[in-house]
Amino acid sequence: MIIYKDIITGDELLSETYDVTEIDGVIYEVETKKVPENDDIEVNFGGNPSELPDEEGGGDMGGGAAADVKMVYELCKSFQLGEVEDERRKNVPMIKGQFDEEFKRYVKKVKAALEKKGTDPAEIKLFMEGVKKHFKRISKNIENCDTFTGSTDDLFEPSGMRVVVDYREDGMTPYAIIWKHGLEEMKV
C-alpha cells in the first residue's frame, strides 16, 4: 500500500485506498464522507429515522437519541488530521487573510523542499503555475471550507500542508483538496 506523507512535516495525509482525482497535475481531489467520530456508535438500520445520525450529527427529524453524535470527515479521522480554526475568532472557520498568508509561506517551503530533493525544474514550474491557477479559486471560498493540518503540525503556526475540505456543487458531497507536490510516497 502507498501512504502519502506531507513533504514538510512527514505527517501521513492520504493513502491509495481513497478515490483520488488528479487535477492539472498539481491537485488531488479526494472523495471523503462524514462518519461518527466515535467508532463505538451503534447504528440500527431500519429503526426510527429520528434516532439515526444525519450529516450534522442529529437525527433526520431534528432530534432523537443520536443528536449528540459528532460527525467528522473520514479522511481526517483516518489520518488524525487536526481541524484548524481562526485563532482570532474562536470556533469559526479560517478567514481568507489568514489562509492566504499561511499558504504563501507553505508554497515557498514546498518549492525549497522540491529543489533540495533534486526535482526536475519543469515539475517545479508545473507546481508554481498550478498554484497560481488554483489558489484564487480555493482562497475565494475558504470561509466556507474546513481546513485541517497533519497530526504533528501546529494548528496556529503551521509548517506543513493545510488540507482543505469543500463540497461539490450538490452541497452534499465533501472532498478534500491536497497539493500533489506537497506529498511524498511511502510504500508500506
Side-chain angles (χ1 to χ4, degrees), residues 16-107:
E16 68 179 347
T17 60
Y18 284 85
D19 183 17
V20 175
T21 302
E22 187 174 317
I23 308 296
D24 296 333
V26 292
I27 288 180
Y28 289 142
E29 288 188 353
V30 184
E31 299 300 321
T32 189
K33 61 184 176 184
K34 290 272 195 133
V35 296
E37 182 177 43
N38 184 343
D39 289 327
D40 297 332
I41 299 298
E42 215 176 285
V43 178
N44 296 318
F45 293 100
N48 182 344
S50 68
E51 294 179 2
L52 298 176
D54 62 15
E55 288 290 310
E56 301 301 319
D60 290 338
M61 304 299 227
D68 60 346
V69 174
K70 182 175 181 187
M71 302 299 281
V72 296
Y73 299 109
E74 178 188 41
L75 175 73
C76 300
K77 179 180 175 179
S78 295
F79 293 97
Q80 300 173 350
L81 304 183
E83 186 167 9
V84 179
E85 297 171 345
D86 184 343
E87 71 269 21
R88 294 167 281 203
R89 302 182 311 158
K90 298 290 182 198
N91 300 318
V92 296
M94 179 177 287
I95 58 172
K96 184 182 180 319
Q98 179 188 4
F99 177 78
D100 293 359
E101 291 171 22
E102 292 174 2
F103 188 74
K104 288 174 186 174
R105 288 192 302 265
Y106 169 73
V107 168

Side-chain angles (χ1 to χ4, degrees), residues 163-181:
V163 175
V164 176
V165 178
D166 198 356
Y167 282 80
R168 300 273 181 221
E169 292 77 23
D170 65 8
M172 304 285 293
T173 309
Y175 69 99
I177 300 167
I178 298 179
W179 294 93
K180 174 184 172 182
H181 294 86

Side-chain angles (χ1 to χ4, degrees), residues 108-125:
K108 288 178 184 177
K109 290 177 188 176
V110 170
K111 183 179 180 194
L114 292 171
E115 290 170 342
K116 185 177 179 180
K117 282 179 37 177
T119 302
D120 182 342
E123 194 66 24
I124 295 172
K125 182 180 178 184

